[in-house]
């Protein structure tokens, strides 16, 4: 998948918010710091995000809970 910034994310913090993880975790995941590479759930969310129209992206972000 695309990097978070290339996939229409305003910032990695938005991806972290949706995933329910810390921003540093997302950064490490996207840079392949895990031996297994970027986790499948991260890739799946990025792919799904890329397919959503802007209005649905906004609704998804509105529904995400802050830490």
């Amino acid at each position: 998948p695309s990097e978070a910034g290339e996939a229409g994310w305003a910032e990695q913090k938005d991806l972290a918010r949706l995933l329910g993880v810390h921003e540093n975790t997302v950064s490490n995941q996207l840079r392949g710091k895990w031996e297994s590479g970027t986790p499948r759930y991260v890739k799946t969310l990025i792919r799904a995000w890329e397919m959503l129209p802007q209005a649905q992206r906004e609704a998804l972000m509105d529904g995400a809970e802050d830490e």
Side-chain angles (χ1 to χ4, degrees):
S2 304
E3 287 293 329
E6 297 171 5
W9 299 102
E11 297 183 26
Q12 286 183 3
K13 71 179 181 178
D14 295 332
L15 179 55
R17 182 175 166 198
L18 288 172
L19 292 171
V21 299
H22 193 274
E23 289 176 53
N24 290 342
T25 301
V26 169
S27 176
N28 288 334
Q29 290 171 330
L30 293 174
R31 290 184 293 150
K33 294 292 183 174
W34 275 250
E35 281 188 34
S36 60
T38 303
R40 186 181 316 173
Y41 74 95
V42 175
K43 292 177 182 180
T44 300
L45 180 58
I46 291 171
R47 284 186 192 114
W49 181 267
E50 290 173 337
M51 291 187 274
L52 290 175
Q54 185 61 33
Q56 289 182 326
R57 290 179 181 186
E58 291 171 9
L60 187 60
M61 287 305 301
D62 289 343
E65 292 187 8
D66 292 330
E67 292 183 44

